[in-house]
């Protein structure tokens, strides 16, 4: 039943009307980090959220996307004495972003994954870790990819087993005022 609910949620994400607005991803990231930290009080979570992160996106979907990315980073750093999780902007066109897009990264020092398996991460119900190792449904990153696609963005991932992961994603650039 939970899996069906999650599949329906993924469906709703792909069919929800977008209401893009200028967003402060720094504030959104800090808020999510506080919530994740409160839920994981027994762990040492070291979040680094860069200042000045802005984009244009649907606020509800952007929050869900960041919550999934930062939440995954918390989950997959579960074996680390100190979880180091970063949200920042990539200054150079890391994923070949056009001029109207900004590239961001969520990076962690967790379990990582084999680099040759990165393409599987964004497929629904495709998991790289056993459920007894890191529980999950395999829908979080698929949802993230769909949200970004709906905004004209994209996501790529880099990782190495036991050396962490980095998720690079693009969103429409907020105009400088």
């Amino acid at each position: 039943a939970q899996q069906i609910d999650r599949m329906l949620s993924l469906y709703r994400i792909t069919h929800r009307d977008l209401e893009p607005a200028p967003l402060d991803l720094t504030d959104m990231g800090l808020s999510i980090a506080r919530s994740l930290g409160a839920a994981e009080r027994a762990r040492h979570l070291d979040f680094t959220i860069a200042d000045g992160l802005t984009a244009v996106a649907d606020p509800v979907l952007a929050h869900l996307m960041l919550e999934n990315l930062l939440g995954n980073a918390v989950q997959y750093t579960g074996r680390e004495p100190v979880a180091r999780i970063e949200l920042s902007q990539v200054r150079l066109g890391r994923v070949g972003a056009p001029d109207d897009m900004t590239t961001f990264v969520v990076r962690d020092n967790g379990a990582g994954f084999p680099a040759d398996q990165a393409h599987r991460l964004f497929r629904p119900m495709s998991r790289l870790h056993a459920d007894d190792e890191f529980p999950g449904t395999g829908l979080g990153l698929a949802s993230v990819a769909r949200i970004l696609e709906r905004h004209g963005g994209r996501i790529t991932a880099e990782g190495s087993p036991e050396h962490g992961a980095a998720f690079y994603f693009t969103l429409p650039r907020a105009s400088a005022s």
Side-chain angles (χ1 to χ4, degrees):
Q2 286 180 339
Q3 197 75 336
I4 290 170
D5 287 344
R6 289 187 178 111
M7 289 296 286
L8 288 171
S9 175
L10 181 59
Y11 175 82
R12 283 190 290 274
I13 287 167
T14 61
H15 291 82
R16 181 184 187 285
D17 287 339
L18 291 181
E19 296 180 22
L23 298 179
D24 184 333
L25 297 182
T26 297
D27 283 347
M28 190 178 286
L30 288 168
S31 173
I32 292 167
R34 279 190 296 274
S35 293
L36 291 168
E40 297 278 338
R41 291 180 200 261
R43 293 187 53 206
H44 185 145
L45 302 178
D46 181 12
F47 282 97
T48 302
I49 311 291
D51 290 330
L53 302 178
T54 61
V56 174
D58 180 284
V60 173
L61 294 180
H63 189 275
L64 180 61
M65 183 252 333
L66 273 184
E67 196 171 55
N68 269 297
L69 288 172
L70 294 172
N72 271 3
V74 168
Q75 179 179 0
Y76 288 96
T77 57
R79 296 184 188 145
E80 298 301 317
V82 176
R84 300 193 192 291
I85 301 163
E86 167 194 345
L87 169 61
S88 61
Q89 182 176 335
V90 178
R91 297 292 173 200
L92 304 172
R94 177 67 184 85
V95 292
D99 288 344
D100 62 343
M101 302 294 271
T102 302
T103 304
F104 303 94
V105 63
V106 170
R107 187 184 324 269
D108 68 60
N109 66 329
F113 57 87
D116 65 342
Q117 297 296 307
H119 66 281
R120 291 183 45 209
L121 290 170
F122 308 106
R123 291 187 203 151
M125 302 187 4
S126 178
R127 302 195 63 232
L128 301 184
H129 296 277
D131 212 33
D132 62 346
E133 196 177 19
F134 295 103
T137 62
L139 293 174
L141 289 176
S143 297
V144 167
R146 293 260 172 31
I147 290 167
L148 291 165
E149 287 167 9
R150 298 263 338 264
H151 288 85
R154 59 184 271 192
I155 186 165
T156 62
E158 292 178 353
S160 177
E162 305 309 321
H163 294 292
F167 291 86
Y168 298 91
F169 63 95
T170 59
L171 283 169
R173 184 177 309 283
S175 350
S177 340

